[in-house]
Amino acid sequence: LPNESLFSLCSRHHVLAANIKASATCQQLFRHPRTGSAHDFPARINQFVSSTEGRFGTASDIIQRRTIFPFYLRFRSPASSANLMAAAASDAPGPLKAELGLLSSRFGASHPLKACPQCMLDDEKEHHVAYWHVEHQLPGVWICLQHKTALLRSQLKSTGAERFGWCLPTTAQ
């Protein structure tokens, strides 16, 4: 879907596949019971590409268009950016948040899921499902540029058992 995040795409798969456990979706898409479910910095993207037979593009395409990685890579050297993207695509991504300097930054390492209530209504009308937009997930973005509306912050994926789960935006969250 337009401007859909990788996490959202995988969450839709989770629902449509009628998987009860998040680990089943992770295993299907990332060939690992937990890795891949991060909504901000997913890993094992090469495995996702393989599992989906490249239908959504290369690992580089997915990282560039369906994650928040580009936000952090703009101020890095081309070699550093390439190394970080390769790590995200690999089976052993390592401490990406630490390497990006997030643990010591003013933004911090937490990236809450955010959604625009009007986009959710529009998406349900046009695509029959509300989904997570990449542009809403960028750090510091709290207003939908299209609707000039404050974004809603999801309480899911913050801490606890749900941090490994799959979800789509609803106003109940």
Side-chain angles (χ1 to χ4, degrees):
L1 297 172
N3 194 35
E4 184 177 26
S5 72
L6 177 61
F7 176 76
S8 181
L9 177 64
C10 296
S11 292
R12 285 193 303 117
H13 171 81
H14 179 74
V15 171
L16 292 171
N19 288 332
I20 294 170
K21 294 186 176 188
S23 59
T25 300
C26 287
Q27 194 68 46
Q28 288 170 345
L29 298 176
F30 298 95
R31 297 186 181 138
H32 190 277
R34 275 205 179 152
T35 304
S37 66
H39 67 281
D40 50 2
F41 294 107
R44 297 178 67 92
I45 295 175
N46 280 339
Q47 294 295 337
F48 175 83
V49 171
S50 175
S51 296
T52 60
E53 299 176 350
R55 286 185 178 93
F56 300 99
T58 66
S60 178
D61 294 335
I62 291 166
I63 291 168
Q64 291 289 340
R65 293 191 328 241
R66 298 193 179 272
T67 73
I68 63 170
F69 266 105
F71 177 87
Y72 291 102
L73 299 179
R74 293 201 198 301
F75 303 106
R76 298 213 161 246
S77 70
S80 175
S81 292
N83 288 339
L84 288 165
M85 285 179 55
S90 76
D91 291 349
L96 288 174
K97 288 185 177 185
E99 289 192 35
L100 288 168
L102 296 180
L103 302 177
S104 60
S105 74
R106 295 181 88 193
F107 280 121
S110 174
H111 296 95
L113 281 166
K114 300 172 283 188
C116 167
Q118 188 59 51
C119 284
M120 289 166 54
L121 292 172
D122 294 348
D123 294 343
E124 287 174 356
K125 282 181 190 170
E126 190 171 342
H127 306 290
H128 307 288
V129 64
Y131 62 93
W132 303 109
H133 293 242
V134 173
E135 65 191 9
H136 296 155
Q137 308 316 313
L138 297 174
V141 173
W142 289 100
I143 303 287
C144 174
L145 294 177
Q146 181 181 354
H147 297 107
K148 311 294 187 249
T149 305
L151 298 178
L152 302 175
R153 180 182 186 268
S154 175
Q155 297 302 310
L156 298 176
K157 299 290 285 178
S158 307
T159 59
E162 288 298 320
R163 74 179 181 271
F164 298 111
W166 301 103
C167 62
L168 291 167
T170 67
T171 53
Q173 295 170 356

